[in-house]
Amino acid sequence: MNRLQGKVAIVTGAASGIGLGAARRFAQEGARVVLADLNGEGARREADSLCAAGAQAVAVTVDLGDETSIRAMIDFTLKTFGGLDVLFNNAAATHLSQFKDSPVEQMDTQVWDDTLRINLRGCMLASRMAIAPMRQGGGGSIINTSSGSAQAGALGYSAYAVSKAGIEALTRYIATQHGKEGIRCNAISPGLIVTPATEQGYAGPAGQMMLEHHLTPRLGSVEDIASAALYLASDEAAFVTGQVINVDGGLLAHQPYYADERRAMAIAQE
Ligand SMILES: NC(=O)c1ccc[n+]([C@@H]2O[C@H](COP(=O)([O-])OP(=O)(O)OC[C@H]3O[C@@H](n4cnc5c(N)ncnc54)[C@H](O)[C@@H]3O)[C@@H](O)[C@H]2O)c1
């Protein structure tokens, strides 16, 4: 409890999934939280329920594809809470990556542009606008959200993967340029986390296939990522910056033939 006491935190994409889990966790730990989402109604509902439980939380509608809207989110935060200590850049256009993104050869240029505009440019703009108030407050923590898809190839969602790879580079650049001002910047790279964005797609055999490639007995939960974000947001991570932290059940830690090998060994043992 109280690991974020006195801090002001913005969580983008806080109406759903990982962002909502992190917003709840930040609030439980004493932060004053701004739940920012394109789905402003959902964010408001969740902020109200946090307030009913005794937390300090407000909601704001934001479109991370729009610079003016991001400016309004930052200004609203400064006006409401008087500063900014933590920015969790969590939102992504998951509706595009799930339903419209594709292999490169079939790539729709508009989908490519929209994905990079919302995921990567949105993350850069929110970070850019957060830096001055963080500096004024003596420092801060920017937490970005990558994905395993930035680190290894896959058959689809190329635009999403490239946007996340850009976010990893952006993380190191912000950390390098602002570390001496007490501003840390790290990224979390989640494995398969069961959220509204993923639960349908991975409910059946696809989920089983993914589980076989994680080293853990289960897939990830929203709480797994919220815990990592809480650590990076808190002063406990004062010496951690410029890092991409895989919170992925070891998904990218093993040899590519790991699942095949396990299957082969099980067959050999029979
Ligand atoms: N769930 C996973 O398995 C997984 C794995 C790797 C990375 N991630 C990353 O974690 C983050 C959260 O994923 P999730 O599974 O919780 O997704 P989600 O779809 O449940 O939540 C995303 C939220 O972002 C909001 N959003 C979408 N477009 C927006 C915009 N233009 N402006 C503002 N808000 C917008 C949505 O309204 C939604 O509330 C994303 O960055 C995603 O890429 C998730």
Side-chain angles (χ1 to χ4, degrees), residues 41-124:
E41 203 175 307
R44 248 177 301 282
R45 202 171 39 243
E46 299 300 341
D48 287 349
S49 102
L50 284 174
C51 289
Q56 286 192 72
V58 291
V60 65
T61 306
V62 67
D63 178 0
L64 290 163
D66 178 62
E67 184 167 354
T68 310
S69 178
I70 299 171
R71 179 79 262 163
M73 171 185 79
I74 300 285
D75 289 348
F76 171 78
T77 302
L78 299 177
K79 198 165 158 225
T80 308
F81 289 138
L84 177 60
D85 305 289
V86 176
L87 170 65
F88 185 16
N89 284 313
N90 160 79
T94 49
H95 57 287
L96 291 179
S97 48
Q98 278 185 307
F99 303 117
K100 304 233 162 120
D101 207 346
S102 68
V104 172
E105 192 177 11
Q106 284 83 41
M107 182 61 64
D108 179 310
T109 314
Q110 195 60 53
V111 172
W112 176 271
D113 288 349
D114 288 346
T115 302
L116 268 76
R117 183 170 48 84
I118 296 166
N119 294 5
L120 178 55
R121 182 176 175 266
C123 177
M124 182 278 291

Side-chain angles (χ1 to χ4, degrees), residues 76-260:
F76 171 78
T77 302
L78 299 177
K79 198 165 158 225
T80 308
F81 289 138
L84 177 60
D85 305 289
V86 176
L87 170 65
F88 185 16
N89 284 313
N90 160 79
T94 49
H95 57 287
L96 291 179
S97 48
Q98 278 185 307
F99 303 117
K100 304 233 162 120
D101 207 346
S102 68
V104 172
E105 192 177 11
Q106 284 83 41
M107 182 61 64
D108 179 310
T109 314
Q110 195 60 53
V111 172
W112 176 271
D113 288 349
D114 288 346
T115 302
L116 268 76
R117 183 170 48 84
I118 296 166
N119 294 5
L120 178 55
R121 182 176 175 266
C123 177
M124 182 278 291
L125 287 172
S127 302
R128 190 182 86 191
M129 294 175 200
I131 286 166
M134 282 184 177
R135 185 192 296 119
Q136 239 172 3
S141 172
I142 297 173
I143 305 157
N144 295 329
T145 306
S146 183
S147 157
S149 56
Q151 298 172 40
L155 297 176
Y157 44 87
S158 325
Y160 174 79
V162 170
S163 75
K164 295 298 189 179
I167 285 172
E168 293 195 2
L170 179 69
T171 298
R172 290 185 279 268
Y173 273 72
I174 294 171
T176 303
Q177 292 163 6
H178 297 283
K180 295 291 187 199
E181 296 164 343
I183 299 171
R184 297 181 293 107
C185 184
N186 294 285
I188 296 171
S189 178
L192 180 55
I193 308 299
V194 183
T195 68
T198 57
E199 66 190 350
Q200 274 196 335
Y202 291 104
Q208 186 54 35
M209 183 266 295
M210 287 298 286
L211 181 56
E212 285 176 16
H213 286 274
H214 287 67
L215 302 182
T216 45
R218 63 166 176 82
L219 292 172
S221 70
V222 160
E223 288 71 29
D224 291 322
I225 305 303
S227 295
L230 170 61
Y231 168 67
L232 292 172
S234 76
D235 294 339
E236 291 159 39
F239 201 51
V240 181
T241 193
Q243 304 305 307
V244 177
I245 298 177
N246 291 348
V247 183
D248 68 350
L251 179 62
L252 293 173
H254 57 71
Q255 299 290 357
Y257 49 76
Y258 162 75
D260 294 333

